[in-house]
Amino acid sequence: MISRRDFLKRASGAAAATGALHPWLMWADDAAPRIAGKDGMIVRSERFLDLEMPPEFFNSWITPVPHFFVRNHMHEPSTLEADSWKLTIGGEVEKPFSLSLGDLAKMEQHTVTNTLECAGNGRAFHQPHVPGVQWQKGAVGTARFNGPKLRDVLQRAGVKSTGKHVMFHGLDEVPGKVPPFIRSVPIEKATDGDTLIATHMNGAPLTKHHGFPARALVPGWIGASSCKWLSEIKVLEKEFDGNFMKPGYRMPNHPLKPGDPLNLDDSHVVTALNVKSIIAGPTDGSTLRSRSVLVHGAAWSGEADIVKVEVSTDAGATWQLAQLGHEQAKYAWRLWNYKWKAQQPGEYTFMSRATDSQGRTQPVTAEWNPSGYLYNAIDQVKIHVQA
Ligand code: MTE
């Protein structure tokens, strides 16, 4: 458990590490204490580590690494030495070769500020219930990823005209008969100038939880595209169709009725993220002692830009424009806030609704699917303003 005082101390430390003490901390509400893991993270699974960021930590544009969610399908590699690590590049290429960490460091480096979100973020809110890790709001974070462009590595290998997809293989320790973590992305996304072989996160080498010594960074796409602990990059003639591509990480081509099974022949691999916003504060169920409230949160939309966030303080009857934070980057979330004064004590329902540059707006109800991917319904919290 963390106390309110500890939370404020930690949060200001985190904000200091990323540049500034965030003014919103002055408006922190009476968040109920919660059972928390190391660094205040919510532990969703211990066997294969899955850590969620609690809403209180959506307070800085760049998420400090200790607050960045962790999603592991298997055990992290136990013996991974930087000196002996090698990345092989092969498949449909003219000159297969391998790279050491030192070789990657000598290549031209590129930085991408990216909001990474797990496809299953928000799964807990789907109705009816969907099995899987019950992520609520915080399987998402924004970081500065740095490393060589995947394009430069592929150019050196010389991709043949038959090369249509690029496969990543991670070094996870695979328990029993579980298939290894292998996924692929189309060659167009792999050769986009912002797709990286990332070795650094927020200016420091990747930590083990986040893929040390190197991970793929496929910006704007679901987190599963960004394979951690990379060992192999292979150019393929067609999309990889192993477990984590099929049946994993697929959406129906046409909306399903809740409870309907997924027909794999009428489905596609999940790629870019949806338009989405979340309310970080006040937190759901909190009691506010002041009538002046700063409603705040984050909004993101994968490869598109956020153009507006609207807030309702009357359960969706009326909507007002929120103010967007000035920090922005192509694939990064926008923080937003809305100042509101309660006319009288009572119960209130706050909602947030984002719209992106492709004209997409968050729906009232997210598209239900059997794996609970891409949840993006209008967010809401219920609060109580004290007399
Ligand atoms: N890469 C490997 N090798 N193994 C994994 O289990 N999980 C994926 C992706 N890359 C995973 C992986 C998923 S589902 C997500 S959401 C992101 O990593 C999470 O990245 P993070 O743990 O650095 O936040």
Side-chain angles (χ1 to χ4, degrees), residues 31-42:
R34 65 181 71 241
I35 297 174
K38 192 168 171 290
D39 295 309
M41 298 292 279
I42 302 164

PDB file of all heavy atoms in Angstrom, residues 31-42:
ATOM      1  N   ALA A  31      -7.524   9.842  -3.681  1.00  0.00           N
ATOM      2  CA  ALA A  31      -7.525   8.498  -4.246  1.00  0.00           C
ATOM      3  C   ALA A  31      -7.469   7.482  -3.119  1.00  0.00           C
ATOM      4  O   ALA A  31      -6.712   7.642  -2.174  1.00  0.00           O
ATOM      5  CB  ALA A  31      -6.311   8.327  -5.143  1.00  0.00           C
ATOM      6  N   ALA A  32      -8.302   6.451  -3.238  1.00  0.00           N
ATOM      7  CA  ALA A  32      -8.277   5.408  -2.218  1.00  0.00           C
ATOM      8  C   ALA A  32      -6.946   4.670  -2.305  1.00  0.00           C
ATOM      9  O   ALA A  32      -6.446   4.432  -3.393  1.00  0.00           O
ATOM     10  CB  ALA A  32      -9.419   4.441  -2.484  1.00  0.00           C
ATOM     11  N   PRO A  33      -6.342   4.314  -1.148  1.00  0.00           N
ATOM     12  CA  PRO A  33      -5.100   3.550  -1.211  1.00  0.00           C
ATOM     13  C   PRO A  33      -5.350   2.200  -1.873  1.00  0.00           C
ATOM     14  O   PRO A  33      -6.460   1.671  -1.818  1.00  0.00           O
ATOM     15  CB  PRO A  33      -4.699   3.381   0.250  1.00  0.00           C
ATOM     16  CG  PRO A  33      -5.881   3.746   1.044  1.00  0.00           C
ATOM     17  CD  PRO A  33      -6.794   4.553   0.198  1.00  0.00           C
ATOM     18  N   ARG A  34      -4.356   1.655  -2.529  1.00  0.00           N
ATOM     19  CA  ARG A  34      -4.540   0.390  -3.241  1.00  0.00           C
ATOM     20  C   ARG A  34      -3.383  -0.540  -2.915  1.00  0.00           C
ATOM     21  O   ARG A  34      -2.331  -0.105  -2.490  1.00  0.00           O
ATOM     22  CB  ARG A  34      -4.586   0.626  -4.747  1.00  0.00           C
ATOM     23  CG  ARG A  34      -3.275   1.150  -5.284  1.00  0.00           C
ATOM     24  CD  ARG A  34      -3.321   1.407  -6.764  1.00  0.00           C
ATOM     25  NE  ARG A  34      -4.139   2.544  -7.100  1.00  0.00           N
ATOM     26  CZ  ARG A  34      -5.215   2.460  -7.866  1.00  0.00           C
ATOM     27  NH1 ARG A  34      -5.594   1.316  -8.340  1.00  0.00           N
ATOM     28  NH2 ARG A  34      -5.909   3.533  -8.142  1.00  0.00           N
ATOM     29  N   ILE A  35      -3.611  -1.839  -3.144  1.00  0.00           N
ATOM     30  CA  ILE A  35      -2.535  -2.790  -2.981  1.00  0.00           C
ATOM     31  C   ILE A  35      -1.610  -2.619  -4.166  1.00  0.00           C
ATOM     32  O   ILE A  35      -2.041  -2.681  -5.313  1.00  0.00           O
ATOM     33  CB  ILE A  35      -3.074  -4.228  -2.920  1.00  0.00           C
ATOM     34  CG1 ILE A  35      -3.962  -4.336  -1.689  1.00  0.00           C
ATOM     35  CG2 ILE A  35      -1.939  -5.246  -2.902  1.00  0.00           C
ATOM     36  CD1 ILE A  35      -4.694  -5.622  -1.530  1.00  0.00           C
ATOM     37  N   ALA A  36      -0.355  -2.369  -3.864  1.00  0.00           N
ATOM     38  CA  ALA A  36       0.558  -2.023  -4.946  1.00  0.00           C
ATOM     39  C   ALA A  36       1.834  -2.837  -4.865  1.00  0.00           C
ATOM     40  O   ALA A  36       2.239  -3.275  -3.796  1.00  0.00           O
ATOM     41  CB  ALA A  36       0.886  -0.536  -4.869  1.00  0.00           C
ATOM     42  N   GLY A  37       2.451  -3.060  -6.024  1.00  0.00           N
ATOM     43  CA  GLY A  37       3.742  -3.741  -6.081  1.00  0.00           C
ATOM     44  C   GLY A  37       4.858  -2.731  -5.967  1.00  0.00           C
ATOM     45  O   GLY A  37       4.659  -1.600  -5.518  1.00  0.00           O
ATOM     46  N   LYS A  38       6.046  -3.141  -6.418  1.00  0.00           N
ATOM     47  CA  LYS A  38       7.217  -2.264  -6.379  1.00  0.00           C
ATOM     48  C   LYS A  38       6.929  -0.971  -7.154  1.00  0.00           C
ATOM     49  O   LYS A  38       6.247  -1.013  -8.173  1.00  0.00           O
ATOM     50  CB  LYS A  38       8.374  -3.027  -7.045  1.00  0.00           C
ATOM     51  CG  LYS A  38       9.729  -2.425  -6.852  1.00  0.00           C
ATOM     52  CD  LYS A  38      10.786  -3.430  -7.301  1.00  0.00           C
ATOM     53  CE  LYS A  38      12.153  -2.820  -7.341  1.00  0.00           C
ATOM     54  NZ  LYS A  38      12.336  -1.839  -8.408  1.00  0.00           N
ATOM     55  N   ASP A  39       7.394   0.144  -6.659  1.00  0.00           N
ATOM     56  CA  ASP A  39       7.223   1.450  -7.296  1.00  0.00           C
ATOM     57  C   ASP A  39       5.755   1.830  -7.485  1.00  0.00           C
ATOM     58  O   ASP A  39       5.412   2.624  -8.359  1.00  0.00           O
ATOM     59  CB  ASP A  39       7.937   1.503  -8.661  1.00  0.00           C
ATOM     60  CG  ASP A  39       9.439   1.373  -8.513  1.00  0.00           C
ATOM     61  OD1 ASP A  39      10.012   2.116  -7.707  1.00  0.00           O
ATOM     62  OD2 ASP A  39      10.028   0.508  -9.186  1.00  0.00           O
ATOM     63  N   GLY A  40       4.864   1.249  -6.677  1.00  0.00           N
ATOM     64  CA  GLY A  40       3.448   1.636  -6.744  1.00  0.00           C
ATOM     65  C   GLY A  40       2.693   1.034  -7.907  1.00  0.00           C
ATOM     66  O   GLY A  40       1.546   1.409  -8.159  1.00  0.00           O
ATOM     67  N   MET A  41       3.300   0.111  -8.641  1.00  0.00           N
ATOM     68  CA  MET A  41       2.613  -0.495  -9.789  1.00  0.00           C
ATOM     69  C   MET A  41       1.603  -1.548  -9.328  1.00  0.00           C
ATOM     70  O   MET A  41       1.767  -2.164  -8.284  1.00  0.00           O
ATOM     71  CB  MET A  41       3.644  -1.147 -10.721  1.00  0.00           C
ATOM     72  CG  MET A  41       4.634  -0.159 -11.316  1.00  0.00           C
ATOM     73  SD  MET A  41       3.868   0.980 -12.479  1.00  0.00           S
ATOM     74  CE  MET A  41       3.802  -0.016 -13.965  1.00  0.00           C
ATOM     75  N   ILE A  42       0.562  -1.742 -10.130  1.00  0.00           N
ATOM     76  CA  ILE A  42      -0.439  -2.778  -9.829  1.00  0.00           C
ATOM     77  C   ILE A  42       0.067  -4.093 -10.426  1.00  0.00           C
ATOM     78  O   ILE A  42       0.390  -4.153 -11.614  1.00  0.00           O
ATOM     79  CB  ILE A  42      -1.793  -2.421 -10.473  1.00  0.00           C
ATOM     80  CG1 ILE A  42      -2.288  -1.058  -9.974  1.00  0.00           C
ATOM     81  CG2 ILE A  42      -2.824  -3.508 -10.202  1.00  0.00           C
ATOM     82  CD1 ILE A  42      -3.404  -0.458 -10.819  1.00  0.00           C
TER      83      ILE A  42
END
